[in-house]
Amino acid sequence: MSDSKLESKAAASNPQLSGSIGSSPQLSGERLAELLSAISEAPDFVTAATFMIAQFADILGARRGLAITLDSPPQRLIATAAVGFDGEPVPSISISTDDLSNPIAVSALSLHAVSCPGGSPAPDLPFGEWTAIPFPQPQFRGAPRLLTEAELDLVQLDGCEVRTRSIVDRRRKLGHAPGGVALIEASVDDQTLGAIMNAASLAGPVLARMAAVEEFRTSTGRLDQQREMLTAIVNSLPDPIVIINASHDIVVQNSRAEHLLSTGDKDSEGRRRAVEINNLLFTSHLSKAAMGTKESAGSRELNLVDPDEGTDLLFEVLTHELGGQDGMHPGATVSVLRDVTDLRRAANELERQVQRVRLAEIDAKRERDRLNLILENVADPILVTDDRSNIILMNKEAEQLFEADDSERWERAALVQANDTKFTTFISDFTISPALARREQMKLQIPDSGVELPVEVVSGKILNRRGEPLAIVSVLHDLTEQVENERLYEELKTFSSQLEDRIQAATADLAEQNTRLQWQSRELEKANRLKSEFLASMSHELRTPINALIGYASLMLDRIYGDLTPRQEEGLKRIQGAAQHLLALINDILDLAKIEAGRMPLHLDDVTLGDIMTEIAQQIEPMVKKKALTLNIEMPSRDLVLHTDRTKVKQILLNLLSNSVKFTQHGGIWVTISRDEEDLRFDVRDTGIGIRPTDIDSIWEDFRQVDQSRTREFGGTGLGLSITRKLVDALGGHVFAESVFGKGSMFTVVLPIKSVARPDDPPRVVDEVPPPAPVKR
């Protein structure tokens, strides 16, 4: 801030002070009081210090000046205010209070003025000549000690002079501490220096008070922020936290604890009773903890009640004493209630799993004993090898070929070694092979007799869940009779020529059958197409009798033809329900047939999104209310105009919504509509049973449901999603599904805002009927 700005500010705040200071270099009496008043009325510490430096510089005729004050913590002197540096960089000054070679530090610590007529020895201070005028502040803890006169005599200042040693009253040093210096770029005579020193000694405590007030406000704001942050952290914790004083009164509790232990004016009677029970249980727990020993006062279990659901909750209570710190009363404790309900359930489930594992071990032992019994009674040699081709198990027949004792003769041991080498080589090659089974012939020798034994080795790998081989089971079949089979080979060769002729004849017959099958395939395609065309053309004839049946049943239920007995009314209702179900099934099949036959044309027209969604909500509302679900529809604009087939869009969305209602028992259904430049996206999300990842692709197939069993819970034709995909494709869009099994599904339909008619659409038929009722997947 410049001198002119400061003086204008001083004049604005106190016109009498501005005139008096500008006309006389002396500061005493009323003029000094006016200066102190102007400084004390400054809005902040920097403004007050800047104003004081500006007035000192104006009195001394100086162009520039600095206010250098004691930093916090009081270990360095820093520049906090500047005057006269318009357009020039303000020097950054930081001086240690231990540096007694610096004249500025000596002036601040001795409360004596220091003049440097030849310029500053510090390169950071661009003053030609200057005078340091100290100002004190009230004594405080940790303040730097003032220099005594004896210590001041020992200080050596190169090119600078300590002044005012005869002017400063020693009594003014009592109760004071170093506050800072006013650094003025000017030389000052003793008379003027004494007056300014007097003013600085009186202004210093005022500036210190303002700095303390600002620091207190900053500290208070910081403490408020920390308290708010701590409160937010405690409230964000999922575990209830309660602080209790020595009288067992709750002092502090977070939001989770309030949910369990506190009530509001609008709470129901059931919630109030649950909270009362929780308070009784918690108080009883605290009483038991207070009577127990310190060793038993750690974590304990506590049963509470969920005030909203009414279910039992199990908590592990961790209690710690606060010990009267930070203003807390002695005997206060903090209790953290950790919800271990799911943990206890998991522990119980783990215990059940351990029991099942023990039973499985017993079954495995029983199966192992049975396997050993089987191996001992099988006539063929059987061997089990590990992944390193080591034999780990074999039956008695295999032991006769591959096992030898040290006490036996060396000829038998050599034959056993030869057999083991041949078999190990075969197993090693099979281990590194990707094949899961292998069959090979080899010649072994019987160790007892030395007779050659031709065998066929059939081996198979045993894999773990990750598909890695654990072991290899090999069975050795005796091929002694193979010699006899080779003798018969010559006889078989005589029939080879006959077989070739027969094969040629069979090949010609197969070619003829292949031609016949191709003709039959074309006929089947033609028949299927004719079937679809017939069903599409017969839609009116198939629906009319069922509609008549439903209509007459409704008339009879409305008592048009007279009163009904309860049994008659029940029978008519069953007839009506069965007819409506049959009509829905026929509608699905006919719609699929019309789509496959190309008899489902597009009737494009301009419709508003709000009208379509209103009609859909009205049709689906009875189904939603019947199952006590919620239905939420969000759309960008009700007035959005679509150029599309109104009937087919309604059928697509009704199919998806009815699916969601059908497979959702609790929760709700959300329809979210969003748009971009060319497309409109419909997201239908529910909280139903969901779809397994392995079934997500098969739900779009014709006549396909996720549960194909005869005892399935949900019925239907399995054509709803198939028809939906075909209708979406016809409108130029696409549909896909996402699902988490057990949590819900979301079906997404993306349709163009302006659909384009297909060139192969047939003309509109007269017997076109409204879309069928939504079907199930």
Side-chain angles (χ1 to χ4, degrees):
M1 186 180 295
S2 63
D3 297 345
S4 60
K5 292 181 180 179
L6 285 169
E7 290 191 3
S8 62
K9 182 175 180 179
S13 61
N14 199 332
Q16 182 181 358
L17 176 62
S18 177
S20 62
I21 293 176
S23 60
S24 173
Q26 301 297 325
L27 286 172
S28 62
E30 184 178 353
R31 297 172 184 171
L32 179 58
E34 292 173 351
L35 173 62
L36 298 176
S37 176
I39 293 175
S40 63
E41 293 176 358
D44 53 45
F45 170 75
V46 175
T47 302
T50 303
F51 180 73
M52 182 185 72
I53 297 300
Q55 296 305 316
F56 288 174
D58 183 61
I59 292 173
L60 300 176
R63 185 173 69 89
R64 294 179 295 183
L66 288 173
I68 301 175
T69 59
L70 198 64
D71 195 7
S72 178
Q75 297 176 354
R76 304 192 70 83
L77 294 165
I78 61 172
T80 55
V83 173
F85 288 90
D86 296 335
E88 300 179 14
V90 178
S92 178
I93 296 177
S94 179
I95 303 171
S96 173
T97 54
D98 297 331
D99 186 8
L100 298 182
S101 64
N102 192 297
I104 297 176
V106 171
S107 176
L109 295 176
S110 65
L111 295 183
H112 286 288
V114 175
S115 295
C116 292
S120 173
D124 295 338
L125 188 60
F127 287 176
E129 59 177 358
W130 50 268
T131 302
I133 303 170
F135 53 86
Q137 61 177 322
Q139 185 67 36
F140 62 94
R141 181 181 299 177
R145 183 177 58 84
L146 290 174
L147 296 178
T148 64
E149 295 297 328
E151 292 173 337
L152 188 59
D153 291 337
L154 299 177
V155 172
Q156 298 293 330
L157 299 178
D158 187 13
C160 297
E161 176 188 2
V162 178
R163 304 176 60 184
T164 67
R165 299 183 67 167
S166 60
I167 300 176
V168 175
D169 188 356
R170 295 183 178 178
R171 292 176 297 176
R172 294 184 179 178
K173 293 186 177 182
L174 299 177
H176 282 172
V181 296
L183 201 62
I184 309 299
E185 188 181 15
S187 60
V188 189
D189 59 83
D190 292 341
Q191 181 180 2
T192 305
L193 183 59
I196 293 180
M197 283 284 293
N198 181 50
S201 64
L202 296 176
V206 177
L207 293 175
R209 184 191 63 185
M210 297 181 68
V213 170
E214 288 186 8
E215 184 176 358
F216 174 76
R217 291 176 179 173
T218 303
S219 176
T220 302
R222 190 181 302 110
L223 289 177
D224 292 340
Q225 293 178 356
Q226 293 177 354
R227 182 175 64 253
E228 293 175 359
M229 181 177 64
L230 181 60
T231 302
I233 292 174
V234 172
N235 286 330
S236 64
L237 294 176
D239 297 329
I241 297 177
V242 181
I243 297 179
I244 303 168
N245 58 16
S247 302
H248 291 177
D249 296 328
I250 296 177
V251 179
V252 178
Q253 58 183 347
N254 63 352
S255 57
R256 177 60 176 159
E258 291 180 354
H259 176 74
L260 295 173
L261 303 175
S262 300
T263 59
D265 297 336
K266 298 182 179 180
D267 290 344
S268 63
E269 185 64 26
R271 174 177 169 77
R272 292 178 181 275
R273 291 178 180 176
V275 171
E276 290 178 0
I277 294 173
N278 289 343
N279 280 282
L280 290 174
L281 294 173
F282 188 57
T283 303
S284 176
H285 169 80
L286 293 177
S287 300
K288 293 179 180 179
M291 292 185 296
T293 61
K294 292 185 178 181
E295 290 75 8
S296 62
S299 61
R300 296 182 179 179
E301 291 185 350
L302 173 64
N303 288 301
L304 297 180
V305 180
D306 190 340
D308 296 333
E309 303 294 336
T311 57
D312 293 334
L313 299 176
L314 180 63
F315 290 92
E316 181 184 16
V317 184
L318 304 176
T319 303
H320 302 279
E321 295 184 1
L322 295 180
Q325 298 178 355
D326 298 331
M328 296 300 295
H329 296 288
T333 59
V334 57
S335 298
V336 179
L337 283 68
R338 183 174 300 166
D339 192 348
V340 295
T341 306
D342 296 337
L343 184 62
R344 176 56 61 84
R345 294 173 182 170
N348 295 335
E349 180 64 24
L350 182 60
E351 185 176 354
R352 288 193 293 269
Q353 292 288 348
V354 171
Q355 294 295 333
R356 284 196 289 266
V357 169
R358 292 176 179 173
L359 294 176
E361 290 178 352
I362 295 174
D363 294 339
K365 183 178 179 181
R366 186 183 300 113
E367 291 295 329
R368 184 172 62 251
D369 295 340
R370 182 186 304 173
L371 177 60
N372 292 333
L373 181 62
I374 293 173
L375 291 177
E376 291 176 357
N377 292 275
V378 173
D380 291 333
I382 299 177
L383 299 96
V384 180
T385 56
D386 58 13
D387 56 350
R388 297 183 179 180
S389 303
N390 298 321
I391 299 175
I392 58 177
L393 181 64
M394 55 184 173
N395 60 355
K396 292 181 179 180
E397 286 71 16
E399 291 177 355
Q400 296 175 2
L401 297 175
F402 297 97
E403 191 174 69
D405 296 333
D406 296 337
S407 60
E408 296 180 353
R409 65 184 187 276
W410 67 270
E411 293 89 352
R412 188 180 191 283
L415 294 177
V416 170
Q417 182 66 29
N419 291 341
D420 184 74
T421 301
K422 293 180 181 180
F423 180 75
T424 303
T425 303
F426 165 76
I427 292 297
S428 299
D429 295 339
F430 180 45
T431 301
I432 62 177
S433 172
L436 300 179
R438 190 172 182 179
R439 184 186 298 267
E440 186 174 317
Q441 295 182 4
M442 66 176 62
K443 293 182 179 180
L444 304 177
Q445 289 181 324
I446 300 176
D448 295 334
S449 61
V451 176
E452 187 176 76
L453 177 66
V455 296
E456 181 185 36
V457 183
V458 181
S459 300
K461 294 180 179 178
I462 300 176
L463 306 179
N464 58 14
R465 294 182 178 180
R466 297 188 298 272
E468 300 172 350
L470 292 177
I472 297 176
V473 178
S474 301
V475 180
L476 282 65
H477 297 295
D478 189 356
L479 297 181
T480 305
E481 297 179 358
Q482 185 72 23
V483 177
E484 182 66 19
N485 294 334
E486 291 178 355
R487 185 184 63 80
L488 297 176
Y489 175 71
E490 295 297 331
E491 297 180 5
L492 291 175
K493 290 178 64 176
T494 59
F495 297 100
S496 62
S497 59
Q498 299 177 7
L499 287 176
E500 290 179 358
D501 296 338
R502 293 178 182 178
I503 290 173
Q504 291 178 358
T507 303
D509 185 58
L510 287 175
E512 182 181 356
Q513 292 180 5
N514 186 30
T515 304
R516 189 181 301 111
L517 288 175
Q518 291 179 356
W519 176 81
Q520 291 177 352
S521 176
R522 290 193 296 270
E523 290 298 320
L524 286 175
E525 292 179 357
K526 180 179 178 181
N528 185 44
R529 185 177 69 257
L530 292 176
K531 178 265 298 180
S532 299
E533 293 179 354
F534 171 75
L535 290 177
S537 61
M538 291 294 292
S539 62
H540 180 72
E541 285 75 7
L542 291 174
R543 290 189 179 103
T544 300
I546 298 178
N547 287 330
L549 182 61
I550 295 174
Y552 279 110
S554 299
L555 293 176
M556 295 181 70
L557 288 173
D558 293 338
R559 307 302 195 274
I560 299 299
Y561 299 105
D563 294 334
L564 300 173
T565 64
R567 295 185 64 186
Q568 291 173 342
E569 183 177 2
E570 181 183 358
L572 287 174
K573 286 183 179 179
R574 292 185 178 181
I575 292 172
Q576 187 182 38
Q580 289 176 348
H581 180 65
L582 179 60
L583 179 59
L585 298 179
I586 293 176
N587 282 339
D588 290 343
I589 298 173
L590 292 178
D591 283 347
L592 180 63
K594 292 178 69 176
I595 293 174
E596 292 178 347
R599 299 288 300 276
M600 185 71 76
L602 296 179
H603 307 299
L604 303 179
D605 198 1
D606 291 338
V607 296
T608 60
L609 178 63
D611 295 341
I612 294 178
M613 297 311 298
T614 299
E615 295 178 7
I616 292 173
Q618 292 174 352
Q619 293 187 34
I620 204 67
E621 184 178 4
M623 300 174 63
V624 174
K625 288 184 176 179
K626 184 178 180 181
K627 300 188 72 173
L629 303 176
T630 60
L631 176 63
N632 299 305
I633 300 177
E634 298 180 2
M635 64 184 74
S637 173
R638 294 184 60 85
D639 298 330
L640 178 62
V641 178
L642 308 176
H643 186 72
T644 186
D645 190 321
R646 179 194 192 104
T647 302
K648 292 177 176 55
V649 173
K650 287 177 56 180
Q651 185 172 358
I652 291 169
L653 296 178
L654 284 173
N655 282 354
L656 296 180
L657 285 171
S658 62
N659 266 0
S660 297
V661 174
K662 176 181 177 181
F663 294 101
T664 303
Q665 304 300 330
H666 305 284
I669 302 168
W670 292 264
V671 181
T672 305
I673 306 174
S674 57
R675 63 164 297 180
D676 54 16
E677 295 181 357
E678 298 180 355
D679 297 327
L680 198 64
R681 174 174 174 145
F682 299 83
D683 292 323
V684 180
R685 180 171 60 88
D686 60 59
T687 57
I689 61 176
I691 306 171
R692 292 183 175 87
T694 56
D695 299 327
I696 199 69
D697 293 330
S698 62
I699 61 175
W700 306 102
E701 299 175 3
D702 295 340
F703 304 101
R704 179 60 185 263
Q705 289 192 343
V706 174
D707 186 2
Q708 293 289 98
S709 64
R710 296 181 178 271
T711 60
R712 61 176 181 263
E713 180 182 357
F714 304 98
T717 62
L719 291 175
L721 294 178
S722 174
I723 294 175
T724 298
R725 170 170 279 188
K726 290 180 172 61
L727 293 177
V728 171
D729 293 340
L731 292 174
H734 59 278
V735 60
F736 57 90
E738 298 176 0
S739 181
V740 178
F741 185 71
K743 295 185 178 181
S745 306
M746 184 175 74
F747 288 80
T748 300
V749 177
V750 179
L751 296 176
I753 297 178
K754 292 185 178 181
S755 299
V756 180
R758 298 170 298 179
D760 56 346
D761 274 350
R764 184 171 183 176
V765 295
V766 178
D767 61 343
E768 180 71 11
V769 297
V775 296
K776 294 82 181 173
R777 60 174 179 255

